[in-house]
Amino acid sequence: MTAILLTIWAIICIFDILGPTVIMGFRPLIAGTGAGLIVGDLNLGMAIGATLELTALGVYTYGGATIPDYQTGAIIGTALAAAGAGDFAAKTATGLAIGLPAAVLLASLDPIGRFLPTFWIHRADGYAAEGNSSGLSLMHWTAFIPWAAVRAIPTFLAALAGNTGTVQNLQNAIPKGFIDGMTLVGAILPAVGFAMLLRIMPVGRYWYMLLIGFVLFAYLKVPLLGIALFGLAIAFLFETLRPRTAVGAPPPPTPAAPVSGEAV
Amino acid sequence: MATTNAPTVRLERRDLLASFWRYFWSFQISWNYERMQALGFAYAMEPVLRKLFPNDADYEAALERHLVFFNTNPVVGAPLIIGSAIAMEEAGAPASAEGVKLALMGPLAGVGDTIIWALYNSIIFTIGASLALQQNILGPIFVIVMVAIPYTVARYRQFMWAYGQGRALATSLASGALERVTEGATVLGLIVIGGFIPSIVKIVTTWDYQQTLTVTGPKGAQAVTNKVPVQTQLDAILPFMLPVLLTAFVYWLLKRYNLNPLWAIAVVFVFGLIVGWLGWFAPALPTPPAAA
């Protein structure tokens, strides 16, 4: 039963990001929390999801690129960790040790889910030529099947494996050093998330903004939300004070070429 | 050239809503490598096109016209472009609709991905995740609220605004406003990351070193050995020095060697596992026994 619920949750998570985007289910924080709720250990799901989340900051599918499947990794990691034995730290360590490699491995299935709907769109071409709107709708909605399947099937299999007790046997053999190590890994992996975020930002030009945030936290002990609000104020101030003539740096998006000359 | 008859039908609000909700619920579910969001775009346009083109031939041509390659940010960008494409189809200017799609999908993808994914989401999710790590359920709830409401409002307003702007859309967007928003968001993002790094990345060293001092007391010169935690010394120089150095190192690896993020994760993973296992470093110093 848990396995089925987890599978449905994995499908909801991918559906959300492709469609409504109201819960951001494809982020590990949300996916892991939901999985925690399903397996009856909310805190475990939150801890595993939050750690993976901070590793994956700024990691999104830009232009349709494949990225580690953190959402399914968080679900599988939570499911298997909850099935195991040990205290909270040991379970969290197990969840991370499973979830992170799972996210990377599952990334190899993602291209399959992105490739298969190509067949659907060719069918849709045919329906469009006939003006068959229900056929078009059918192709649109069923093209989601490959997307869901590449996540649902591994989740289901992993959740089933979690029920057989193999995880528990495995976990009894875990040395304490491993748990200490994995706890540290969880605490420092966010460095990768922040570094990836910084890589796509103009650090060279605005390095001093980083310094402002650092001083606010490290010396003035401002809480995170306070830093965000302060940053918002600075951003508005910065844009207000900036000379408007400087706007002409990179040319804004060029207007559509054929706006005036309609081809008839 | 096929002669396209300018539609004589006027769209009503419920036609626009029909299209919006189709976009809202399912825009990317048929995403594929070949044409990416094309089918989602055509699916969202379909009710409007049916209404505008009662003639089957025109309707079929319109569907095919919107089944071409399309890809942009689904939250900031796509609703704007669908809204303006509808306005142009209604105005009997299908070529303008195609032009706007081509001209805007790239730039809006860049702006949308930067503002929504990289900046806004990273801030919201870092706050949510740090609450969740303290086993506070408000973390995930905070994130969902901060996603569900602003996203939905922003998507709806973009869609309706772009429909209202119609042909003036490209000019409106070209006023430099987008660039200013991106710039401001970047400033905000960097300030926040500057504060997030020391608060989220947690590593301290558990090393001590022996300090031997020669103390001259009443009994003459005497060697006194005491243990000094290295971390205390580091904190005296710069608080949160290790988290900052570690992040800077990973950033340098990514930037200098254009390292695949997976390798960066692997490096940090192995490093953390080894030094944590050996007990050299830890997320936090063990709380000292209460001093008598």
Side-chain angles (χ1 to χ4, degrees):
Chain A
M1 189 58 203
T2 313
I4 293 170
L5 284 178
L6 286 170
T7 309
I8 293 172
W9 175 238
I11 296 174
I12 291 176
C13 286
I14 187 66
F15 177 73
D16 176 70
I17 187 60
L18 294 176
T21 320
V22 286
I23 56 170
M24 271 278 151
F26 96 111
R27 298 305 296 177
L29 174 62
I30 303 299
T33 304
L37 215 57
I38 292 171
V39 300
D41 195 341
L42 180 67
N43 284 339
L44 182 67
M46 279 206 292
I48 294 170
T51 309
L52 288 176
E53 178 64 49
L54 292 168
T55 312
L57 285 176
V59 179
Y60 289 81
T61 56
Y62 302 114
T66 287
I67 53 167
D69 190 345
Y70 290 106
Q71 75 205 60
T72 317
I75 296 173
I76 291 177
T78 306
L80 293 184
D87 60 358
F88 189 72
K91 283 184 173 179
T92 311
T94 314
L96 272 184
I98 293 171
L100 201 58
V104 174
L105 287 175
L106 286 166
S108 60
L109 294 180
D110 179 63
I112 301 173
R114 291 171 177 273
F115 169 73
L116 288 178
T118 305
F119 297 116
W120 272 258
I121 197 166
H122 284 282
R123 290 285 300 279
D125 283 340
Y127 288 124
E130 298 164 8
N132 180 344
S133 68
S134 48
L136 189 88
S137 303
L138 186 71
M139 286 305 106
H140 178 62
W141 283 92
T142 50
F144 176 62
I145 294 171
W147 276 93
V150 296
R151 287 162 181 86
I153 296 170
T155 306
F156 186 70
L157 293 179
L160 276 190
N163 290 341
T164 59
T166 30
V167 190
Q168 190 144 8
N169 296 336
L170 200 77
Q171 219 165 21
N172 291 332
I174 294 179
K176 187 189 174 296
F178 178 79
I179 295 170
D180 290 345
M182 283 309 297
T183 311
L184 181 64
V185 167
I188 61 175
L189 269 180
V192 181
F194 289 122
M196 280 196 278
L197 208 50
L198 288 175
R199 190 169 65 156
I200 57 175
M201 300 182 78
V203 176
R205 191 150 43 110
Y206 292 133
W207 56 272
Y208 50 93
M209 295 292 177
L210 282 172
L211 214 54
I212 294 178
F214 179 79
V215 169
L216 281 177
F217 181 82
Y219 291 98
L220 300 177
K221 316 281 181 216
V222 178
L224 293 188
L225 197 57
I227 297 175
L229 293 173
F230 188 85
L232 192 65
I234 293 285
F236 270 100
L237 199 64
F238 188 80
E239 283 305 308
T240 312
L241 297 182
R242 213 158 59 114
R244 271 164 201 279
T245 46
V247 167
T254 34
V259 165
S260 42
E262 264 312 310
V264 187
Chain B
M1 292 296 313
T3 47
T4 316
N5 306 318
T8 48
V9 194
R10 299 298 302 169
L11 292 174
E12 290 165 41
R13 190 177 168 75
R14 66 190 163 123
D15 302 317
L16 295 175
L17 283 177
S19 172
F20 175 78
W21 289 117
R22 280 193 173 198
Y23 146 76
F24 178 86
W25 283 107
S26 71
F27 184 56
Q28 293 197 96
I29 62 170
S30 55
W31 196 101
N32 61 84
Y33 281 129
E34 189 186 298
R35 275 177 262 165
M36 303 198 173
Q37 299 162 342
L39 184 48
F41 201 98
Y43 177 72
M45 293 291 286
E46 192 274 327
V48 165
L49 297 177
R50 180 73 272 186
K51 174 125 187 200
L52 288 177
F53 304 106
N55 177 329
D56 280 347
D58 288 343
Y59 168 65
E60 287 153 16
L63 278 182
E64 287 181 309
R65 170 158 84 227
H66 288 290
L67 262 173
V68 295
F69 178 92
F70 186 78
N71 205 45
T72 192
N73 184 285
V75 175
V76 167
L80 203 77
I81 296 175
I82 299 173
S84 82
I86 292 175
M88 288 174 196
E89 285 286 357
E90 186 183 22
S96 285
E98 285 169 331
V100 154
K101 283 170 72 175
L102 276 175
L104 290 184
M105 67 179 179
L108 284 178
V111 171
D113 287 352
T114 309
I115 296 180
I116 295 294
W117 296 156
L119 296 169
Y120 181 78
N121 269 14
S122 299
I123 294 171
I124 296 303
F125 275 88
T126 306
I127 295 175
S130 69
L131 285 172
L133 283 177
Q134 297 156 21
Q135 305 189 357
N136 187 340
I137 183 65
L138 285 178
I141 291 175
F142 168 79
V143 165
I144 290 178
V145 170
M146 294 301 281
V147 164
I149 298 169
Y151 276 32
T152 307
V153 171
R155 291 162 84 186
Y156 179 79
R157 294 188 63 163
Q158 277 177 77
F159 184 93
M160 292 302 174
W161 179 76
Y163 173 73
Q165 290 279 309
R167 286 177 185 237
L169 179 80
T171 336
S172 306
L173 289 180
S175 64
L178 273 183
E179 192 219 338
R180 294 178 80 90
V181 171
T182 313
E183 196 84 356
T186 304
V187 167
L188 165 63
L190 283 169
I191 292 178
V192 169
I193 296 170
F196 281 178
I197 292 171
S199 80
I200 307 269
V201 181
K202 289 196 167 60
I203 180 169
V204 295
T205 176
T206 50
W207 280 337
D208 298 318
Y209 68 92
Q210 305 283 332
Q211 197 176 39
T212 309
L213 296 170
T214 311
V215 180
T216 318
K219 293 175 186 167
Q222 193 178 18
V224 175
T225 309
N226 55 356
K227 272 165 68 170
V228 180
V230 175
Q231 187 60 42
T232 318
Q233 305 288 327
L234 292 181
D235 285 342
I237 303 169
L238 178 73
F240 303 101
M241 186 197 274
L242 291 179
V244 169
L245 284 180
L246 180 70
T247 312
F249 174 69
V250 179
Y251 173 74
W252 177 78
L253 279 182
L254 292 171
K255 192 103 178 161
R256 174 71 178 78
Y257 296 103
N258 205 13
L259 199 68
N260 185 322
L262 287 184
W263 282 109
I265 290 176
V267 167
V268 171
F269 191 99
V270 171
F271 166 80
L273 189 59
I274 293 175
V275 300
W277 195 319
L278 294 174
W280 292 350
F281 293 89
L285 285 177
T287 33

